[in-house]
Amino acid sequence: MKLLIYHTDFVEYEPVEREGRVVEETEMTRKRFEDIVLILTTIEEGDDDTVVDKAVGELKEYLARIGSKRVLIYPYAHLSNKLAAPEKALETLRLFREKCKVEGMEVYTSPFGWTKALLLSVKGHPLAEQFRSITPETAGAGYIPKALVMEERIKSYWYVLTPTGELVPVESFDFSGNDGLKALATYEMAKSRAVSQMPPHVDLMKRLEIADYEPGSDLGNMRWPAKGKLIKSLIEQYVTEKVIEYGGMEIETPIMYDLKHPCLESYLNRFPARQYIVKSDEREFFLRFAACFGQFLMAHDMQISYKQLPVRLYELTRYSFRREKSGELVGLKRLRAFTMPDVHALCADVQQAKEEALRRFDLSIEVLEGIGLAKDDYEMAIRFTRDFYESNKEFVTDLVKRFGKPALVEMWDERFFYFILKWEFNFIDNLRKASALSTDQIDVENAERYGITYVDQSGNKRYPIILHCSPSGAIERVVYALLEKAYKVYKEGGKPMLPVWLSPTQVRLIPISDRFTEDCILLSERLERERIRADVDDRLETVEKKVRDAETEWVPYTIVFGKKEKESNLFSVRERASNSIRQMTFEELVEEVSSKNAGKPYRMLSLPKLLSQRPSFR
RNA sequence: GCCCCGGUAGCUUAGCCCGGUAUAGCGGCGGCCUUGUAAGCCGCAGGCCGCGGGUUCGAAUCCCGCCCGGGGCUCCA
């Protein structure tokens, strides 16, 4: 049985002619109904009493939600290609009408067996259009992906787990001194992601020419002018280097996959209607929303011995795509196209998976630390089944102990997802909204789904456990976190800035007049040879103006260069972080900046060295 | 989809209630100043007031429709 339901302002129909041998008698007049629920009903082969009961139940529930009782039951054969025989269909339809009346609905009917002219006006609210498919087997709602049905049923139990292994129900945990965690708990448990005000990073990303909206693209697809691109590239490079150091094998895979690929179909159901679809001739492809597909398909074809485990595959996806709801997209926090480092580890068994997970946990903390986000800046959430916790308490506690702060726990009675454990680090922004940065999952399902195997000691093929980790989270989101963090500093009276290694201009040279521009250019070249990004503000502006502009650009070191500097080789270095002017030699300056760049990637400034030559991106 | 708010120069914006084709700052351009640590001075250019229609002698302003953006709600086929 199929029900296509419309909540309407009005419906009009008029019988035109008899269509089949089984026909109900009716008046040949036009009928109009105001503010009524139209139910286009198709009776299919095998529909019985239980189906009707279920349909009535669903309908009743629906009517309660929209607060209506008036229904027009309208026989409509076009929702199925396996119609019941007409006699049987009419009988079932009549039963349906009767049961609806018994349930207290105000039932109107249109005649079975007629071609009818139909005019309707559907109300514009979210529940106004509904579809139900009810079969004897399920006697349940169709058309809803399994994962979503399960998600509805999932009951979460919330706790806080302390580094000493105490598991406290969230409502009895004392959050004093753990304000960030409190914000996370509130945010998570409400399950709401909508944003109510503009977060401060949005203005910053535009003003600093880091990122901006691209009106010519879809929502959540950003443009990155030169400074932003430099910052983004540096973070990408840094994360990649750290993952390779950890043992990741960097690979690259396609961004689009066949919608009909058997392995992908069920995984796809996890995110119904959230993909971009690309049509190419007759085929349809979806744009990947994670690196999993490419890596799993690659792993499927690999020959792996137990001796090689864990095998670690790494890709930085540029991009992954998710068609997030428009209301959720603000600035860089949540995007439809994002850059995601993703490292999978294939592990022999749960024991090896746990050991590997700990390494990746430490890696994630280290990566965030290197980027400039300390443990104070984020909170941990960890999710698992009760079962897993009971038999792996020591491991779970070890994770929280390594984190060193209490963590929010979401616990389920059953395993609904493909993972048995998942943790994330959540950044809390200035609006007290949380968003996940690093994450790792222990996946016990996908190896089988994708046919990924390794050969064990006795020559048998076995399915590995797969860990899914993003050590930093989306790169764009890392930038968001850095900007939000800077704003927090500013709000508390400090000077907002990016880490020196990420600052596009690290040293700004300000010649006191154009007589010194040449000296500044030479000095900037010396700095560049030391892998320090320097530029020269050669504009015919006052020193004050140029200093001010350097400050509003968040340049970490500024040198005003004039006669004194030329003669003494001692510089007055204006340092943003300490808001002071320090006398330094060239060597001391190089030493200072280099120490902040140590262990981090370097890229040249991809902007004209002379500020007079630099166009504005906005 | 519905509700609320908005759309004026490259950017930020005044004017709108109460109709008379528009204000300022930044930025850009030109000139003066050759400058010592957060905005030097003078001048110039730049606007189909989101689009379409209506009312009116006359619309940025009032009315209707639409488009786009931000937010809320809701659905997450």
Side-chain angles (χ1 to χ4, degrees):
Chain A
M1 187 168 183
K2 306 267 198 254
L3 304 175
L4 181 58
I5 303 171
Y6 290 120
H7 190 196
T8 68
D9 293 314
F10 70 86
V11 179
E12 283 181 23
Y13 77 84
E14 185 174 6
V16 178
E17 60 179 350
R18 289 164 192 267
E19 211 171 38
R21 57 195 159 87
V22 180
V23 169
E24 282 185 293
E25 289 310 311
T26 185
E27 298 167 33
M28 296 292 290
T29 56
R30 195 171 189 82
K31 296 260 173 51
R32 184 180 168 99
F33 303 88
E34 304 282 345
D35 193 24
I36 196 163
V37 176
L38 173 65
I39 303 159
L40 302 174
T41 311
T42 310
I43 309 295
E44 299 175 280
E45 265 172 52
D47 286 348
D48 55 18
D49 290 14
T50 60
V51 171
V52 172
D53 286 344
K54 180 70 187 171
V56 173
E58 294 254 336
L59 186 56
K60 198 179 160 190
E61 196 179 309
Y62 170 73
L63 292 172
R65 290 187 71 181
I66 61 164
S68 174
K69 284 192 163 185
R70 288 161 53 80
V71 298
L72 172 60
I73 296 174
Y74 191 105
Y76 194 74
H78 318 290
L79 299 175
S80 176
N81 50 17
K82 39 171 196 168
L83 298 175
E87 295 84 359
K88 175 71 182 162
L90 182 54
E91 186 192 324
T92 307
L93 184 69
R94 284 179 166 149
L95 182 67
F96 180 54
R97 290 167 180 168
E98 279 315 304
K99 290 201 168 178
C100 287
K101 280 180 196 159
V102 170
E103 287 294 331
M105 297 174 206
E106 192 180 327
V107 178
Y108 300 87
T109 62
S110 71
F112 185 89
W114 290 78
T115 301
K116 299 175 286 269
L118 176 63
L119 176 67
L120 72 158
S121 163
V122 179
K123 286 184 188 289
H125 65 76
L127 292 171
E129 297 174 326
Q130 300 279 309
F131 178 70
R132 296 288 188 280
S133 172
I134 298 156
T135 60
E137 298 87 65
T138 65
Y143 267 62
I144 299 176
K146 193 167 146 240
L148 284 184
V149 175
M150 293 194 306
E151 213 158 332
E152 296 262 305
R153 286 215 317 262
I154 293 174
K155 177 156 167 48
S156 298
Y157 301 87
W158 297 93
Y159 300 90
V160 172
L161 183 58
T162 69
T164 52
E166 259 185 293
L167 191 67
V168 185
V170 75
E171 56 279 5
S172 39
F173 184 77
D174 177 10
F175 281 104
S176 45
N178 287 292
D179 197 48
L181 187 63
K182 186 180 176 185
L184 174 64
T186 313
Y187 186 68
E188 279 296 319
M189 291 164 66
K191 283 284 178 208
S192 166
R193 295 286 186 278
V195 174
S196 53
Q197 313 160 231
M198 191 86 84
H201 81 276
V202 178
D203 278 332
L204 293 176
M205 76 183 193
K206 293 183 185 181
R207 193 173 60 67
L208 296 171
E209 296 187 358
I210 290 174
D212 209 338
Y213 299 116
E214 174 50 72
S217 182
D218 188 22
L219 300 172
N221 287 254
M222 310 303 280
R223 55 160 75 146
W224 294 77
K227 289 180 201 166
K229 174 61 185 171
L230 174 66
I231 292 167
K232 184 164 177 275
S233 295
L234 284 167
I235 298 172
E236 290 171 4
Q237 201 175 328
Y238 174 69
V239 175
T240 299
E241 283 171 11
K242 291 310 260 190
V243 173
I244 290 173
E245 205 177 289
Y246 142 81
M249 296 185 278
E250 189 177 14
I251 58 162
E252 184 170 321
T253 64
I255 65 164
M256 65 178 85
Y257 296 88
D258 195 324
L259 259 178
K260 295 212 175 74
H261 188 110
C263 290
L264 306 179
E265 210 173 350
S266 48
Y267 202 89
L268 216 48
N269 272 344
R270 293 263 326 114
F271 299 90
R274 284 256 186 137
Q275 317 87 25
Y276 282 108
I277 304 293
V278 176
K279 285 191 179 152
S280 176
D281 289 334
E282 293 303 296
R283 296 171 73 189
E284 284 188 322
F285 300 88
F286 68 94
L287 299 184
R288 64 176 172 199
F289 45 86
C292 300
F293 313 104
Q295 295 194 15
F296 289 174
L297 294 174
M298 192 179 274
H300 168 86
D301 293 337
M302 288 170 73
Q303 294 292 318
I304 302 169
S305 152
Y306 74 96
K307 295 177 205 162
Q308 296 154 351
L309 298 178
V311 162
R312 308 170 183 104
L313 293 176
Y314 168 72
E315 181 168 8
L316 184 86
T317 65
R318 195 162 65 221
Y319 296 102
S320 287
F321 297 90
R322 293 184 197 174
R323 293 203 339 123
E324 304 288 7
K325 294 187 286 183
S326 60
E328 297 179 319
L329 304 169
V330 189
L332 296 172
K333 181 174 153 67
R334 203 173 186 80
L335 297 173
R336 284 187 173 175
F338 52 97
T339 308
M340 195 73 171
D342 213 337
V343 55
H344 290 88
L346 312 184
C347 300
D349 50 33
V350 173
Q351 185 50 38
Q352 191 178 59
K354 290 196 288 186
E355 286 164 17
E356 189 65 7
L358 290 175
R359 288 194 60 208
R360 294 148 71 90
F361 191 81
D362 292 342
L363 170 70
S364 299
I365 292 175
E366 194 188 331
V367 165
L368 290 186
E369 179 76 43
I371 289 169
L373 297 167
K375 283 182 187 168
D376 293 344
D377 298 318
Y378 53 88
E379 300 294 336
M380 176 174 173
I382 182 162
R383 301 153 207 269
F384 39 71
T385 57
R386 191 172 300 280
D387 210 37
F388 182 84
Y389 177 64
E390 293 302 338
S391 37
N392 297 280
K393 271 188 186 170
E394 204 180 319
F395 166 70
V396 173
T397 307
D398 194 7
L399 288 174
V400 179
K401 194 192 288 174
R402 283 167 193 243
F403 183 58
K405 291 200 290 180
L408 180 68
V409 170
E410 182 174 16
M411 186 143 56
W412 302 294
D413 289 329
E414 290 173 63
R415 179 167 69 83
F416 291 104
F417 303 107
Y418 53 83
F419 55 83
I420 48 177
L421 176 137
K422 170 188 182 173
W423 60 259
E424 325 107 34
F425 294 148
N426 289 278
F427 180 81
I428 311 293
D429 69 18
N430 287 284
L431 306 178
R432 294 178 69 74
K433 305 263 182 186
S435 38
L437 295 170
S438 318
T439 180
D440 203 2
Q441 302 170 358
I442 303 179
D443 172 354
V444 293
E445 227 175 76
N446 280 305
E448 191 170 345
R449 173 169 297 141
Y450 284 82
I452 299 167
T453 56
Y454 70 94
V455 178
D456 74 5
Q457 206 155 3
S458 27
N460 298 318
K461 283 194 172 181
R462 299 179 65 94
Y463 295 119
I465 288 178
I466 302 177
L467 305 185
H468 303 236
C469 173
S470 181
S472 64
I475 304 298
E476 294 83 355
R477 189 172 279 181
V478 167
V479 175
Y480 141 84
L482 287 171
L483 291 176
E484 287 283 330
K485 180 181 177 172
Y487 184 81
K488 237 178 251 184
V489 168
Y490 164 75
K491 218 172 48 181
E492 286 156 10
K495 280 212 168 182
M497 62 186 290
L498 293 171
V500 172
W501 75 278
L502 287 174
S503 298
T505 299
Q506 295 175 317
V507 179
R508 163 78 38 93
L509 303 175
I510 298 179
I512 220 166
S513 79
D514 55 10
R515 285 202 301 275
F516 298 101
T517 300
E518 205 46 47
D519 296 299
C520 284
I521 293 172
L522 290 172
L523 180 55
S524 76
E525 283 165 355
R526 282 176 74 197
L527 287 165
E528 260 158 22
R529 282 196 289 275
E530 303 290 338
R531 295 163 74 84
I532 291 170
R533 287 183 294 271
D535 54 19
V536 179
D537 193 346
D538 63 326
R539 296 173 303 165
L540 286 176
E541 299 285 354
T542 59
V543 170
E544 288 87 344
K545 174 70 180 287
K546 293 195 269 195
V547 168
R548 180 185 151 86
D549 286 348
E551 290 284 354
T552 54
E553 261 186 73
W554 297 6
V555 174
Y557 296 96
T558 306
I559 295 173
V560 174
F561 191 101
K563 199 166 162 227
K564 280 183 275 180
E565 285 70 20
K566 191 175 165 101
E567 285 166 2
S568 72
N569 256 332
L570 192 67
F571 306 124
S572 304
V573 180
R574 185 183 174 99
E575 187 193 15
R576 181 170 179 81
S578 62
N579 198 20
S580 62
I581 295 176
R582 295 157 58 195
Q583 299 299 315
M584 297 169 104
T585 62
F586 177 79
E587 290 70 24
E588 284 164 346
L589 175 66
V590 168
E591 166 61 28
E592 163 112 11
V593 180
S594 300
S595 73
K596 311 226 162 161
N597 289 347
K600 304 298 192 309
Y602 170 77
R603 285 187 149 239
M604 291 201 314
L605 186 60
S606 70
L607 279 166
K609 181 193 298 293
L610 300 178
L611 264 70
S612 67
Q613 298 302 303
R614 219 175 260 186
S616 159
F617 278 94
R618 60 191 308 254

